Amino acid sequence: MHTDITNVHGSKNRQTTKNYNTNILILGKTGVGKSSLVNYLYGQNIAIAKSGKPVTERGFHRHAPFMYRSLTVTVYDSWGLESDKVNEWRRDLTAELERTDTDNIADWFHTVIYCYDAKRSRLDDYEKTHILDELVNNGVKIIFAMTKWGLCSEREKSAARETLNKFYPGFSLIPIESVSQKLRNQTTTVQQGREELFNEICINLRDNLIARLISRTREQNLNTLKKSKEEVLEYYDSKSGFFTIYGENLKNAIIKHTSEVYRANLKRDYNDFSAFYDQINDMSRQVVRAYTGLNIDTHGKIIDDIVSRYANIVTGWENSFREYLSSILMFLSGLPWLIIQRLWITRSYRKKIENKLDELNRKVSDDITVFLDSVQNTENHIKEKFLNTMRARMNSGKH
Ligand SMILES: Nc1nc2c(ncn2[C@@H]2O[C@H](COP(=O)(O)OP(=O)(O)OP(=O)(O)O)[C@@H](O)[C@H]2O)c(=O)[nH]1
Ligand SMILES: [Mg+2]
């Protein structure tokens, strides 16, 4: 997989040096400024951009990746949308996705930048129903780039915002001037919007990583529990039976082993999780810093709030895990271990231990689900309090 968290199993060290990869798809009708935006993002002319007939050829054009902050960014330019070519266009997109190893467009393109010519300020039916709505329904994060901003009058600017807000309320709208163009009155337009776009791109990547972190943690946790159970039972098999140790020795050995196995394995899961989470937060801090003008006090309070919520979740989880572990240890100590050398008893004890471990696994797993839900809620909280504040500022034009 391209942008991945496969290193979630790795050491903290390896993770801190990891660069994140994000793929961005630039869409929009022909002539709205897609290729000009590619050039602006890259900081050099790598795509042909000019006025007149449709310029960029049919298909999706992947440009070489470049670095932005700690991100590796890969941009795909696209064939301009036209009302009579929507079906061909969609077939091409499907073909492009088939070349990747992702089933879900949102996992390949973390961000779609939809270019909207602010000067013209209209959204056609075919764009809405056949392109935008479908992308949204597939979980794709769309940023609207309101292009040719430097050419717009105040009236055109508010018309653009109004139209987009009406159909896509809450989406981020970023004024873009990709080129600096000489106007008739001898003034030149000023390029703008690059930083804002990258900030939003980081936010989208963060969302994607969090979603995947959560589903992976869940998966990893189930494996860990299964593995821990097997390890304990294997140990039991190797130590019990006719000729091996029995009685107090066996009991103590199994109790010690169970406790160690579970602690170590779950601790490892937790460390992986938090190392990765830290890194995601690092990335968001970069984004946060990039947004100037946001009240520093508000920012500080929100961060404190997140940190304390997260700490509570972790403490809560650790406490309940301790309870489970002690209940299973109590059960193990309660077994009459002295007669364990007899084979049929050995087997029925094994079954009892296995059932008890299953019960423990279910409880721990349920609890981790609750934990991950809280992480998701914390994320939503961050969004609501912080990102929305920033976006609202941009969308109302104060930016
Ligand atoms: N002032 C200004 N002009 C722009 C901007 N974006 C694009 N243009 C101009 O609009 C024309 C079309 O730009 P392109 O970038 O080629 O548009 P496109 O969307 O790639 O078009 P196709 O490849 O045909 O789909 C060019 O003349 C650009 O200079 C912008 O942000 N500001
Ligand atoms: Mg083009």
Side-chain angles (χ1 to χ4, degrees):
M1 193 151 286
H2 211 58
T3 297
D4 62 14
I5 54 168
T6 42
N7 266 353
V8 93
H9 300 281
S11 69
K12 201 157 183 158
N13 246 354
R14 206 157 81 226
Q15 288 179 23
T16 27
T17 54
K18 176 149 180 65
N19 287 324
Y20 291 103
N21 200 326
T22 190
N23 297 325
I24 293 157
L25 175 59
I26 302 191
L27 300 183
K29 285 192 279 200
T30 176
V32 293
K34 297 180 294 300
S35 303
S36 306
L37 181 58
V38 170
N39 293 336
Y40 180 39
L41 290 177
Y42 275 77
Q44 50 182 301
N45 287 340
I46 55 165
I48 302 169
K50 57 182 184 205
S51 59
K53 286 289 122 203
V55 182
T56 304
E57 286 173 15
R58 179 167 179 172
F60 293 86
H61 312 281
R62 177 182 183 276
H63 290 285
F66 67 99
M67 291 296 296
Y68 183 84
R69 300 184 201 143
S70 57
L71 282 187
T72 307
V73 184
T74 306
V75 177
Y76 288 68
D77 194 359
S78 65
W79 186 33
L81 284 160
E82 288 176 90
S83 60
D84 55 341
K85 298 201 177 102
V86 170
N87 288 334
E88 285 146 279
W89 189 94
R90 282 159 49 119
R91 263 201 301 279
D92 287 0
L93 180 58
T94 310
E96 183 63 42
L97 285 170
E98 273 163 10
R99 269 194 279 278
T100 72
D101 61 353
T102 34
D103 316 321
N104 186 352
I105 179 170
D107 283 335
W108 186 256
F109 293 116
H110 302 135
T111 295
V112 164
I113 300 177
Y114 199 88
C115 292
Y116 177 83
D117 185 337
K119 187 83 187 149
R120 298 227 170 98
S121 215
R122 52 177 294 195
L123 209 51
D124 289 322
D125 267 348
Y126 79 89
E127 295 179 86
K128 291 200 291 275
T129 44
H130 296 303
I131 313 292
L132 285 164
D133 293 351
E134 265 197 42
L135 290 173
V136 172
N137 291 338
N138 278 291
V140 174
K141 301 272 163 58
I142 297 174
I143 302 171
F144 286 100
M146 302 186 289
T147 56
K148 311 192 186 179
W149 198 250
L151 305 179
C152 293
S153 66
E154 288 310 312
R155 252 189 74 235
E156 286 163 334
K157 288 178 182 174
S158 41
R161 286 187 191 282
E162 229 167 77
T163 310
L164 293 171
N165 270 328
K166 179 172 156 209
F167 293 106
Y168 298 97
F171 282 64
S172 55
L173 317 178
I174 305 192
I176 295 287
E177 180 67 6
S178 299
V179 294
S180 88
Q181 189 183 330
K182 245 205 184 94
L183 302 176
R184 263 191 232 133
N185 63 7
Q186 296 310 310
T187 58
T188 337
T189 64
V190 181
Q191 288 181 308
Q192 75 168 90
R194 190 173 183 266
E195 285 294 308
E196 287 84 353
L197 269 182
F198 280 118
N199 289 336
E200 291 288 315
I201 286 165
C202 289
I203 291 168
N204 289 348
L205 176 62
R206 184 182 197 281
D207 282 354
N208 183 275
L209 293 175
I210 286 282
R212 290 178 54 194
L213 173 67
I214 288 175
S215 73
R216 271 196 91 92
T217 304
R218 202 166 267 149
E219 202 181 297
Q220 188 183 345
N221 162 249
L222 287 177
N223 286 336
T224 297
L225 291 175
K226 197 166 149 239
K227 201 180 87 198
S228 309
K229 177 184 142 187
E230 277 159 14
E231 261 182 73
V232 171
L233 291 175
E234 248 169 55
Y235 187 76
Y236 177 83
D237 290 342
S238 73
K239 297 292 180 204
S240 67
F242 274 119
F243 305 109
T244 49
I245 54 162
Y246 59 93
E248 280 301 303
N249 284 344
L250 177 58
K251 177 179 114 179
N252 290 337
I254 299 228
I255 289 177
K256 187 158 175 282
H257 193 71
T258 307
S259 154
E260 275 166 8
V261 163
Y262 272 82
R263 249 181 238 290
N265 287 346
L266 286 166
K267 189 83 191 154
R268 199 173 315 125
D269 276 8
Y270 174 71
N271 285 346
D272 284 348
F273 177 88
S274 54
F276 192 74
Y277 194 86
D278 277 356
Q279 223 192 344
I280 293 175
N281 275 336
D282 246 18
M283 194 172 89
S284 10
R285 248 172 261 132
Q286 291 189 38
V287 179
V288 167
R289 240 179 271 126
Y291 277 93
T292 49
L294 189 83
N295 183 316
I296 260 321
D297 223 36
T298 320
H299 172 195
K301 280 200 190 93
I302 294 165
I303 296 283
D304 287 352
D305 187 18
I306 292 163
V307 169
S308 72
R309 272 164 178 257
Y310 190 63
N312 282 341
I313 295 168
V314 173
T315 325
W317 183 80
E318 278 178 356
N319 284 342
S320 30
F321 177 66
R322 214 167 289 133
E323 273 169 36
Y324 301 147
L325 198 61
S326 70
S327 89
I328 188 182
L329 297 184
M330 245 158 71
F331 163 81
L332 292 175
S333 351
L335 287 175
W337 291 85
L338 277 171
I339 45 172
I340 208 148
Q341 70 272 38
R342 307 251 305 266
L343 191 57
W344 66 273
I345 293 177
T346 307
R347 287 211 181 114
S348 86
Y349 270 61
R350 190 190 194 278
K351 193 71 210 155
K352 276 188 187 158
I353 292 174
E354 189 176 349
N355 289 344
K356 201 70 188 169
L357 289 173
D358 280 339
E359 196 185 303
L360 172 74
N361 285 3
R362 258 195 314 277
K363 281 183 180 162
V364 174
S365 182
D366 285 353
D367 223 40
I368 285 178
T369 301
V370 173
F371 164 67
L372 293 176
D373 286 349
S374 323
V375 172
Q376 187 66 67
N377 286 340
T378 305
E379 285 305 307
N380 297 343
H381 178 80
I382 299 175
K383 274 269 161 60
E384 199 186 317
K385 279 274 174 56
F386 184 65
L387 300 182
N388 284 351
T389 319
M390 296 191 289
R391 284 176 183 166
R393 291 166 67 92
M394 274 199 294
N395 289 357
S396 66
K398 283 190 207 110
H399 201 77

